[in-house]
PDB file of all heavy atoms in Angstrom:
ATOM      1  N   LEU A 154      -1.670 -20.592  -0.827  1.00  0.00           N
ATOM      2  CA  LEU A 154      -1.603 -19.146  -1.091  1.00  0.00           C
ATOM      3  C   LEU A 154      -3.083 -18.617  -1.073  1.00  0.00           C
ATOM      4  O   LEU A 154      -3.957 -19.271  -1.640  1.00  0.00           O
ATOM      5  CB  LEU A 154      -1.127 -18.980  -2.530  1.00  0.00           C
ATOM      6  CG  LEU A 154      -1.040 -17.500  -3.025  1.00  0.00           C
ATOM      7  CD1 LEU A 154       0.026 -16.769  -2.281  1.00  0.00           C
ATOM      8  CD2 LEU A 154      -0.766 -17.468  -4.558  1.00  0.00           C
ATOM      9  N   LEU A 155      -3.240 -17.492  -0.381  1.00  0.00           N
ATOM     10  CA  LEU A 155      -4.598 -16.802  -0.404  1.00  0.00           C
ATOM     11  C   LEU A 155      -4.341 -15.397  -0.978  1.00  0.00           C
ATOM     12  O   LEU A 155      -3.447 -14.639  -0.440  1.00  0.00           O
ATOM     13  CB  LEU A 155      -5.172 -16.667   1.021  1.00  0.00           C
ATOM     14  CG  LEU A 155      -5.539 -17.959   1.742  1.00  0.00           C
ATOM     15  CD1 LEU A 155      -6.100 -17.659   3.109  1.00  0.00           C
ATOM     16  CD2 LEU A 155      -6.546 -18.733   0.941  1.00  0.00           C
ATOM     17  N   ILE A 156      -4.987 -15.132  -2.085  1.00  0.00           N
ATOM     18  CA  ILE A 156      -4.760 -13.817  -2.770  1.00  0.00           C
ATOM     19  C   ILE A 156      -5.892 -12.897  -2.350  1.00  0.00           C
ATOM     20  O   ILE A 156      -7.096 -13.203  -2.676  1.00  0.00           O
ATOM     21  CB  ILE A 156      -4.756 -14.038  -4.262  1.00  0.00           C
ATOM     22  CG1 ILE A 156      -3.664 -15.007  -4.685  1.00  0.00           C
ATOM     23  CG2 ILE A 156      -4.559 -12.716  -4.991  1.00  0.00           C
ATOM     24  CD1 ILE A 156      -3.601 -15.317  -6.168  1.00  0.00           C
ATOM     25  N   VAL A 157      -5.584 -11.836  -1.644  1.00  0.00           N
ATOM     26  CA  VAL A 157      -6.536 -10.992  -1.102  1.00  0.00           C
ATOM     27  C   VAL A 157      -7.422 -10.434  -2.130  1.00  0.00           C
ATOM     28  O   VAL A 157      -8.711 -10.251  -2.041  1.00  0.00           O
ATOM     29  CB  VAL A 157      -5.931  -9.791  -0.223  1.00  0.00           C
ATOM     30  CG1 VAL A 157      -6.964  -8.819   0.176  1.00  0.00           C
ATOM     31  CG2 VAL A 157      -5.145 -10.384   0.995  1.00  0.00           C
ATOM     32  N   ALA A 158      -6.812 -10.054  -3.308  1.00  0.00           N
ATOM     33  CA  ALA A 158      -7.599  -9.422  -4.396  1.00  0.00           C
ATOM     34  C   ALA A 158      -8.693 -10.356  -5.017  1.00  0.00           C
ATOM     35  O   ALA A 158      -9.619  -9.900  -5.680  1.00  0.00           O
ATOM     36  CB  ALA A 158      -6.651  -8.985  -5.534  1.00  0.00           C
ATOM     37  N   ALA A 159      -8.554 -11.622  -4.738  1.00  0.00           N
ATOM     38  CA  ALA A 159      -9.449 -12.614  -5.341  1.00  0.00           C
ATOM     39  C   ALA A 159     -10.652 -12.992  -4.349  1.00  0.00           C
ATOM     40  O   ALA A 159     -11.449 -13.718  -4.839  1.00  0.00           O
ATOM     41  CB  ALA A 159      -8.705 -13.863  -5.707  1.00  0.00           C
ATOM     42  N   LEU A 165     -12.048 -14.692   2.759  1.00  0.00           N
ATOM     43  CA  LEU A 165     -10.672 -14.642   3.171  1.00  0.00           C
ATOM     44  C   LEU A 165     -10.521 -15.101   4.626  1.00  0.00           C
ATOM     45  O   LEU A 165      -9.712 -15.986   4.931  1.00  0.00           O
ATOM     46  CB  LEU A 165     -10.183 -13.159   3.075  1.00  0.00           C
ATOM     47  CG  LEU A 165      -8.651 -12.910   3.439  1.00  0.00           C
ATOM     48  CD1 LEU A 165      -7.805 -13.768   2.552  1.00  0.00           C
ATOM     49  CD2 LEU A 165      -8.318 -11.430   3.344  1.00  0.00           C
ATOM     50  N   LEU A 180       0.108 -18.267   3.106  1.00  0.00           N
ATOM     51  CA  LEU A 180       0.755 -17.042   2.641  1.00  0.00           C
ATOM     52  C   LEU A 180      -0.333 -16.214   2.057  1.00  0.00           C
ATOM     53  O   LEU A 180      -0.899 -16.482   1.022  1.00  0.00           O
ATOM     54  CB  LEU A 180       1.811 -17.362   1.594  1.00  0.00           C
ATOM     55  CG  LEU A 180       2.418 -16.267   0.734  1.00  0.00           C
ATOM     56  CD1 LEU A 180       2.901 -15.090   1.631  1.00  0.00           C
ATOM     57  CD2 LEU A 180       3.477 -16.741  -0.164  1.00  0.00           C
ATOM     58  N   VAL A 181      -0.590 -15.073   2.740  1.00  0.00           N
ATOM     59  CA  VAL A 181      -1.707 -14.214   2.348  1.00  0.00           C
ATOM     60  C   VAL A 181      -1.075 -13.048   1.523  1.00  0.00           C
ATOM     61  O   VAL A 181      -0.340 -12.230   2.079  1.00  0.00           O
ATOM     62  CB  VAL A 181      -2.445 -13.675   3.538  1.00  0.00           C
ATOM     63  CG1 VAL A 181      -3.689 -12.826   3.124  1.00  0.00           C
ATOM     64  CG2 VAL A 181      -3.013 -14.864   4.411  1.00  0.00           C
ATOM     65  N   GLU A 182      -1.476 -13.017   0.310  1.00  0.00           N
ATOM     66  CA  GLU A 182      -0.844 -12.126  -0.711  1.00  0.00           C
ATOM     67  C   GLU A 182      -1.537 -10.885  -0.890  1.00  0.00           C
ATOM     68  O   GLU A 182      -2.748 -10.843  -1.191  1.00  0.00           O
ATOM     69  CB  GLU A 182      -0.608 -12.800  -2.001  1.00  0.00           C
ATOM     70  CG  GLU A 182      -0.034 -11.995  -3.083  1.00  0.00           C
ATOM     71  CD  GLU A 182       0.236 -12.788  -4.391  1.00  0.00           C
ATOM     72  OE1 GLU A 182       1.040 -13.711  -4.393  1.00  0.00           O
ATOM     73  OE2 GLU A 182      -0.582 -12.375  -5.408  1.00  0.00           O
ATOM     74  N   ALA A 183      -0.865  -9.715  -0.748  1.00  0.00           N
ATOM     75  CA  ALA A 183      -1.400  -8.448  -0.943  1.00  0.00           C
ATOM     76  C   ALA A 183      -0.633  -7.579  -1.988  1.00  0.00           C
ATOM     77  O   ALA A 183       0.517  -7.967  -2.219  1.00  0.00           O
ATOM     78  CB  ALA A 183      -1.530  -7.667   0.393  1.00  0.00           C
ATOM     79  N   HIS A 184      -1.263  -6.547  -2.483  1.00  0.00           N
ATOM     80  CA  HIS A 184      -0.520  -5.717  -3.372  1.00  0.00           C
ATOM     81  C   HIS A 184      -0.643  -4.275  -2.977  1.00  0.00           C
ATOM     82  O   HIS A 184       0.220  -3.378  -3.333  1.00  0.00           O
ATOM     83  CB  HIS A 184      -1.083  -5.889  -4.827  1.00  0.00           C
ATOM     84  CG  HIS A 184      -0.253  -5.102  -5.837  1.00  0.00           C
ATOM     85  ND1 HIS A 184      -0.636  -3.848  -6.251  1.00  0.00           N
ATOM     86  CD2 HIS A 184       0.890  -5.468  -6.545  1.00  0.00           C
ATOM     87  CE1 HIS A 184       0.260  -3.442  -7.180  1.00  0.00           C
ATOM     88  NE2 HIS A 184       1.154  -4.319  -7.312  1.00  0.00           N
ATOM     89  N   THR A 185      -1.690  -3.911  -2.217  1.00  0.00           N
ATOM     90  CA  THR A 185      -1.919  -2.498  -1.851  1.00  0.00           C
ATOM     91  C   THR A 185      -1.946  -2.362  -0.328  1.00  0.00           C
ATOM     92  O   THR A 185      -2.135  -3.390   0.408  1.00  0.00           O
ATOM     93  CB  THR A 185      -3.255  -2.045  -2.457  1.00  0.00           C
ATOM     94  OG1 THR A 185      -4.353  -2.789  -1.735  1.00  0.00           O
ATOM     95  CG2 THR A 185      -3.321  -2.226  -3.865  1.00  0.00           C
ATOM     96  N   GLU A 186      -1.975  -1.158   0.144  1.00  0.00           N
ATOM     97  CA  GLU A 186      -2.065  -0.965   1.553  1.00  0.00           C
ATOM     98  C   GLU A 186      -3.364  -1.410   2.070  1.00  0.00           C
ATOM     99  O   GLU A 186      -3.410  -1.983   3.145  1.00  0.00           O
ATOM    100  CB  GLU A 186      -1.939   0.641   1.828  1.00  0.00           C
ATOM    101  CG  GLU A 186      -2.023   0.965   3.353  1.00  0.00           C
ATOM    102  CD  GLU A 186      -1.870   2.490   3.613  1.00  0.00           C
ATOM    103  OE1 GLU A 186      -1.598   3.196   2.638  1.00  0.00           O
ATOM    104  OE2 GLU A 186      -2.190   2.853   4.784  1.00  0.00           O
ATOM    105  N   GLU A 187      -4.409  -1.188   1.318  1.00  0.00           N
ATOM    106  CA  GLU A 187      -5.779  -1.678   1.761  1.00  0.00           C
ATOM    107  C   GLU A 187      -5.762  -3.184   1.871  1.00  0.00           C
ATOM    108  O   GLU A 187      -6.346  -3.757   2.786  1.00  0.00           O
ATOM    109  CB  GLU A 187      -6.819  -1.213   0.750  1.00  0.00           C
ATOM    110  CG  GLU A 187      -8.269  -1.500   1.192  1.00  0.00           C
ATOM    111  CD  GLU A 187      -8.803  -2.785   0.488  1.00  0.00           C
ATOM    112  OE1 GLU A 187      -8.211  -3.221  -0.500  1.00  0.00           O
ATOM    113  OE2 GLU A 187      -9.770  -3.346   1.076  1.00  0.00           O
ATOM    114  N   GLU A 188      -5.185  -3.903   0.912  1.00  0.00           N
ATOM    115  CA  GLU A 188      -5.130  -5.328   0.985  1.00  0.00           C
ATOM    116  C   GLU A 188      -4.354  -5.854   2.146  1.00  0.00           C
ATOM    117  O   GLU A 188      -4.658  -6.802   2.760  1.00  0.00           O
ATOM    118  CB  GLU A 188      -4.604  -5.920  -0.341  1.00  0.00           C
ATOM    119  CG  GLU A 188      -5.658  -5.703  -1.512  1.00  0.00           C
ATOM    120  CD  GLU A 188      -5.087  -6.183  -2.811  1.00  0.00           C
ATOM    121  OE1 GLU A 188      -3.954  -6.746  -2.854  1.00  0.00           O
ATOM    122  OE2 GLU A 188      -5.779  -6.018  -3.827  1.00  0.00           O
ATOM    123  N   ILE A 189      -3.198  -5.233   2.409  1.00  0.00           N
ATOM    124  CA  ILE A 189      -2.409  -5.547   3.627  1.00  0.00           C
ATOM    125  C   ILE A 189      -3.282  -5.414   4.926  1.00  0.00           C
ATOM    126  O   ILE A 189      -3.368  -6.284   5.797  1.00  0.00           O
ATOM    127  CB  ILE A 189      -1.162  -4.657   3.809  1.00  0.00           C
ATOM    128  CG1 ILE A 189      -0.183  -4.988   2.666  1.00  0.00           C
ATOM    129  CG2 ILE A 189      -0.563  -4.804   5.170  1.00  0.00           C
ATOM    130  CD1 ILE A 189       1.053  -4.070   2.638  1.00  0.00           C
ATOM    131  N   SER A 190      -4.011  -4.306   4.966  1.00  0.00           N
ATOM    132  CA  SER A 190      -4.915  -4.164   6.152  1.00  0.00           C
ATOM    133  C   SER A 190      -5.957  -5.245   6.234  1.00  0.00           C
ATOM    134  O   SER A 190      -6.228  -5.720   7.314  1.00  0.00           O
ATOM    135  CB  SER A 190      -5.599  -2.750   5.971  1.00  0.00           C
ATOM    136  OG  SER A 190      -6.483  -2.580   7.110  1.00  0.00           O
ATOM    137  N   ARG A 191      -6.506  -5.659   5.120  1.00  0.00           N
ATOM    138  CA  ARG A 191      -7.514  -6.688   5.127  1.00  0.00           C
ATOM    139  C   ARG A 191      -6.821  -8.015   5.599  1.00  0.00           C
ATOM    140  O   ARG A 191      -7.487  -8.784   6.375  1.00  0.00           O
ATOM    141  CB  ARG A 191      -8.111  -6.859   3.740  1.00  0.00           C
ATOM    142  CG  ARG A 191      -9.021  -5.810   3.338  1.00  0.00           C
ATOM    143  CD  ARG A 191      -9.504  -5.971   1.900  1.00  0.00           C
ATOM    144  NE  ARG A 191     -10.221  -7.231   1.848  1.00  0.00           N
ATOM    145  CZ  ARG A 191     -10.395  -7.891   0.699  1.00  0.00           C
ATOM    146  NH1 ARG A 191      -9.801  -7.482  -0.492  1.00  0.00           N
ATOM    147  NH2 ARG A 191     -11.043  -8.983   0.716  1.00  0.00           N
ATOM    148  N   ALA A 192      -5.691  -8.301   5.125  1.00  0.00           N
ATOM    149  CA  ALA A 192      -4.965  -9.536   5.521  1.00  0.00           C
ATOM    150  C   ALA A 192      -4.676  -9.468   7.024  1.00  0.00           C
ATOM    151  O   ALA A 192      -4.942 -10.546   7.688  1.00  0.00           O
ATOM    152  CB  ALA A 192      -3.631  -9.645   4.762  1.00  0.00           C
ATOM    153  N   VAL A 193      -4.252  -8.492   7.547  1.00  0.00           N
ATOM    154  CA  VAL A 193      -3.882  -8.415   8.995  1.00  0.00           C
ATOM    155  C   VAL A 193      -5.221  -8.480   9.797  1.00  0.00           C
ATOM    156  O   VAL A 193      -5.211  -9.110  10.859  1.00  0.00           O
ATOM    157  CB  VAL A 193      -3.251  -7.091   9.294  1.00  0.00           C
ATOM    158  CG1 VAL A 193      -2.992  -6.885  10.834  1.00  0.00           C
ATOM    159  CG2 VAL A 193      -1.794  -7.087   8.648  1.00  0.00           C
ATOM    160  N   ILE A 199       1.358 -14.832   7.926  1.00  0.00           N
ATOM    161  CA  ILE A 199       2.377 -14.702   6.853  1.00  0.00           C
ATOM    162  C   ILE A 199       1.788 -13.835   5.781  1.00  0.00           C
ATOM    163  O   ILE A 199       0.760 -14.171   5.231  1.00  0.00           O
ATOM    164  CB  ILE A 199       2.736 -16.063   6.339  1.00  0.00           C
ATOM    165  CG1 ILE A 199       3.229 -16.990   7.381  1.00  0.00           C
ATOM    166  CG2 ILE A 199       3.837 -15.884   5.284  1.00  0.00           C
ATOM    167  CD1 ILE A 199       3.452 -18.438   6.891  1.00  0.00           C
ATOM    168  N   VAL A 200       2.346 -12.628   5.586  1.00  0.00           N
ATOM    169  CA  VAL A 200       1.775 -11.702   4.642  1.00  0.00           C
ATOM    170  C   VAL A 200       2.836 -11.467   3.524  1.00  0.00           C
ATOM    171  O   VAL A 200       3.967 -11.030   3.880  1.00  0.00           O
ATOM    172  CB  VAL A 200       1.369 -10.348   5.259  1.00  0.00           C
ATOM    173  CG1 VAL A 200       0.768  -9.451   4.238  1.00  0.00           C
ATOM    174  CG2 VAL A 200       0.369 -10.623   6.373  1.00  0.00           C
ATOM    175  N   GLY A 201       2.472 -11.642   2.351  1.00  0.00           N
ATOM    176  CA  GLY A 201       3.315 -11.369   1.175  1.00  0.00           C
ATOM    177  C   GLY A 201       2.909 -10.171   0.454  1.00  0.00           C
ATOM    178  O   GLY A 201       1.700  -9.833   0.276  1.00  0.00           O
ATOM    179  N   VAL A 202       3.885  -9.437  -0.013  1.00  0.00           N
ATOM    180  CA  VAL A 202       3.656  -8.254  -0.958  1.00  0.00           C
ATOM    181  C   VAL A 202       4.127  -8.687  -2.278  1.00  0.00           C
ATOM    182  O   VAL A 202       5.303  -8.922  -2.536  1.00  0.00           O
ATOM    183  CB  VAL A 202       4.312  -7.006  -0.376  1.00  0.00           C
ATOM    184  CG1 VAL A 202       4.196  -5.902  -1.516  1.00  0.00           C
ATOM    185  CG2 VAL A 202       3.820  -6.574   0.860  1.00  0.00           C
ATOM    186  N   ASN A 203       3.157  -8.781  -3.277  1.00  0.00           N
ATOM    187  CA  ASN A 203       3.556  -9.238  -4.607  1.00  0.00           C
ATOM    188  C   ASN A 203       3.820  -7.913  -5.409  1.00  0.00           C
ATOM    189  O   ASN A 203       2.906  -7.048  -5.555  1.00  0.00           O
ATOM    190  CB  ASN A 203       2.456  -9.972  -5.244  1.00  0.00           C
ATOM    191  CG  ASN A 203       2.957 -10.700  -6.513  1.00  0.00           C
ATOM    192  OD1 ASN A 203       3.888 -10.334  -7.079  1.00  0.00           O
ATOM    193  ND2 ASN A 203       2.091 -11.713  -6.974  1.00  0.00           N
ATOM    194  N   VAL A 204       4.999  -7.703  -5.900  1.00  0.00           N
ATOM    195  CA  VAL A 204       5.328  -6.521  -6.701  1.00  0.00           C
ATOM    196  C   VAL A 204       4.879  -6.611  -8.089  1.00  0.00           C
ATOM    197  O   VAL A 204       4.975  -5.746  -8.861  1.00  0.00           O
ATOM    198  CB  VAL A 204       6.842  -6.192  -6.612  1.00  0.00           C
ATOM    199  CG1 VAL A 204       7.306  -6.069  -5.160  1.00  0.00           C
ATOM    200  CG2 VAL A 204       7.702  -7.186  -7.418  1.00  0.00           C
ATOM    201  N   ARG A 205       4.240  -7.797  -8.432  1.00  0.00           N
ATOM    202  CA  ARG A 205       3.627  -7.961  -9.744  1.00  0.00           C
ATOM    203  C   ARG A 205       2.129  -7.821  -9.509  1.00  0.00           C
ATOM    204  O   ARG A 205       1.479  -8.567  -8.788  1.00  0.00           O
ATOM    205  CB  ARG A 205       3.912  -9.355 -10.409  1.00  0.00           C
ATOM    206  CG  ARG A 205       3.178  -9.483 -11.805  1.00  0.00           C
ATOM    207  CD  ARG A 205       3.360 -10.810 -12.358  1.00  0.00           C
ATOM    208  NE  ARG A 205       4.704 -11.301 -12.440  1.00  0.00           N
ATOM    209  CZ  ARG A 205       5.620 -10.893 -13.425  1.00  0.00           C
ATOM    210  NH1 ARG A 205       5.179 -10.080 -14.366  1.00  0.00           N
ATOM    211  NH2 ARG A 205       6.808 -11.292 -13.461  1.00  0.00           N
ATOM    212  N   ASN A 206       1.525  -6.756 -10.178  1.00  0.00           N
ATOM    213  CA  ASN A 206       0.045  -6.617 -10.056  1.00  0.00           C
ATOM    214  C   ASN A 206      -0.628  -7.618 -10.828  1.00  0.00           C
ATOM    215  O   ASN A 206      -0.531  -7.656 -12.133  1.00  0.00           O
ATOM    216  CB  ASN A 206      -0.252  -5.165 -10.577  1.00  0.00           C
ATOM    217  CG  ASN A 206      -1.714  -4.774 -10.403  1.00  0.00           C
ATOM    218  OD1 ASN A 206      -2.511  -5.676 -10.477  1.00  0.00           O
ATOM    219  ND2 ASN A 206      -1.933  -3.535 -10.189  1.00  0.00           N
ATOM    220  N   LEU A 207      -1.383  -8.516 -10.289  1.00  0.00           N
ATOM    221  CA  LEU A 207      -1.961  -9.640 -10.985  1.00  0.00           C
ATOM    222  C   LEU A 207      -3.131  -9.233 -11.840  1.00  0.00           C
ATOM    223  O   LEU A 207      -3.587  -9.998 -12.667  1.00  0.00           O
ATOM    224  CB  LEU A 207      -2.472 -10.706  -9.950  1.00  0.00           C
ATOM    225  CG  LEU A 207      -1.381 -11.576  -9.291  1.00  0.00           C
ATOM    226  CD1 LEU A 207      -1.994 -12.571  -8.347  1.00  0.00           C
ATOM    227  CD2 LEU A 207      -0.511 -12.231 -10.325  1.00  0.00           C
ATOM    228  N   HIS A 216       7.996  -1.412  -5.260  1.00  0.00           N
ATOM    229  CA  HIS A 216       6.747  -1.406  -4.570  1.00  0.00           C
ATOM    230  C   HIS A 216       6.804  -2.163  -3.212  1.00  0.00           C
ATOM    231  O   HIS A 216       6.090  -1.739  -2.317  1.00  0.00           O
ATOM    232  CB  HIS A 216       5.739  -2.111  -5.513  1.00  0.00           C
ATOM    233  CG  HIS A 216       4.276  -2.083  -5.009  1.00  0.00           C
ATOM    234  ND1 HIS A 216       3.619  -0.903  -4.874  1.00  0.00           N
ATOM    235  CD2 HIS A 216       3.472  -3.055  -4.569  1.00  0.00           C
ATOM    236  CE1 HIS A 216       2.364  -1.210  -4.410  1.00  0.00           C
ATOM    237  NE2 HIS A 216       2.307  -2.520  -4.265  1.00  0.00           N
ATOM    238  N   TYR A 217       7.680  -3.081  -3.063  1.00  0.00           N
ATOM    239  CA  TYR A 217       7.825  -3.810  -1.775  1.00  0.00           C
ATOM    240  C   TYR A 217       8.249  -2.781  -0.746  1.00  0.00           C
ATOM    241  O   TYR A 217       7.650  -2.823   0.404  1.00  0.00           O
ATOM    242  CB  TYR A 217       8.827  -4.948  -1.890  1.00  0.00           C
ATOM    243  CG  TYR A 217       8.933  -5.672  -0.482  1.00  0.00           C
ATOM    244  CD1 TYR A 217       7.920  -6.555  -0.160  1.00  0.00           C
ATOM    245  CD2 TYR A 217       9.862  -5.337   0.439  1.00  0.00           C
ATOM    246  CE1 TYR A 217       7.936  -7.147   1.134  1.00  0.00           C
ATOM    247  CE2 TYR A 217       9.794  -5.828   1.680  1.00  0.00           C
ATOM    248  CZ  TYR A 217       8.865  -6.783   2.016  1.00  0.00           C
ATOM    249  OH  TYR A 217       8.847  -7.328   3.280  1.00  0.00           O
ATOM    250  N   MET A 220       5.253  -0.655   0.349  1.00  0.00           N
ATOM    251  CA  MET A 220       4.269  -1.372   1.077  1.00  0.00           C
ATOM    252  C   MET A 220       4.765  -1.944   2.401  1.00  0.00           C
ATOM    253  O   MET A 220       3.988  -2.137   3.392  1.00  0.00           O
ATOM    254  CB  MET A 220       3.721  -2.539   0.257  1.00  0.00           C
ATOM    255  CG  MET A 220       2.804  -2.115  -0.950  1.00  0.00           C
ATOM    256  SD  MET A 220       1.311  -1.209  -0.483  1.00  0.00           S
ATOM    257  CE  MET A 220       1.810   0.519  -0.885  1.00  0.00           C
ATOM    258  N   LEU A 224       3.391  -3.250   6.982  1.00  0.00           N
ATOM    259  CA  LEU A 224       3.355  -4.631   7.548  1.00  0.00           C
ATOM    260  C   LEU A 224       3.723  -4.564   9.045  1.00  0.00           C
ATOM    261  O   LEU A 224       4.806  -3.987   9.322  1.00  0.00           O
ATOM    262  CB  LEU A 224       4.369  -5.546   6.838  1.00  0.00           C
ATOM    263  CG  LEU A 224       4.081  -5.811   5.299  1.00  0.00           C
ATOM    264  CD1 LEU A 224       5.275  -6.450   4.630  1.00  0.00           C
ATOM    265  CD2 LEU A 224       2.860  -6.668   5.282  1.00  0.00           C
ATOM    266  N   ILE A 231       6.869 -11.456   3.516  1.00  0.00           N
ATOM    267  CA  ILE A 231       7.369 -12.128   2.281  1.00  0.00           C
ATOM    268  C   ILE A 231       7.372 -11.179   1.127  1.00  0.00           C
ATOM    269  O   ILE A 231       6.419 -10.480   0.912  1.00  0.00           O
ATOM    270  CB  ILE A 231       6.482 -13.368   1.914  1.00  0.00           C
ATOM    271  CG1 ILE A 231       6.246 -14.261   3.123  1.00  0.00           C
ATOM    272  CG2 ILE A 231       7.176 -14.144   0.737  1.00  0.00           C
ATOM    273  CD1 ILE A 231       7.400 -14.895   3.695  1.00  0.00           C
ATOM    274  N   ALA A 232       8.528 -11.028   0.398  1.00  0.00           N
ATOM    275  CA  ALA A 232       8.591 -10.240  -0.820  1.00  0.00           C
ATOM    276  C   ALA A 232       8.364 -11.235  -1.954  1.00  0.00           C
ATOM    277  O   ALA A 232       9.070 -12.249  -2.083  1.00  0.00           O
ATOM    278  CB  ALA A 232       9.883  -9.545  -0.952  1.00  0.00           C
ATOM    279  N   GLU A 233       7.531 -10.924  -2.917  1.00  0.00           N
ATOM    280  CA  GLU A 233       7.231 -11.799  -4.014  1.00  0.00           C
ATOM    281  C   GLU A 233       7.422 -11.159  -5.307  1.00  0.00           C
ATOM    282  O   GLU A 233       7.070  -9.936  -5.546  1.00  0.00           O
ATOM    283  CB  GLU A 233       5.734 -12.267  -3.972  1.00  0.00           C
ATOM    284  CG  GLU A 233       5.378 -12.985  -2.648  1.00  0.00           C
ATOM    285  CD  GLU A 233       3.896 -13.271  -2.717  1.00  0.00           C
ATOM    286  OE1 GLU A 233       3.443 -13.930  -3.650  1.00  0.00           O
ATOM    287  OE2 GLU A 233       3.108 -12.870  -1.748  1.00  0.00           O
TER     288      GLU A 233
END
Side-chain angles (χ1 to χ4, degrees):
L154 179 72
L155 295 179
I156 301 174
V157 175
L165 184 60
L180 166 51
V181 183
E182 178 179 293
H184 187 267
T185 66
E186 180 181 353
E187 185 265 342
E188 289 177 4
I189 291 172
S190 179
R191 290 177 58 204
V193 172
I199 305 172
V200 180
V202 173
N203 195 343
V204 304
R205 182 185 303 280
N206 186 326
L207 288 180
H216 188 65
Y217 181 80
M220 290 296 105
L224 294 169
I231 313 295
E233 303 177 53

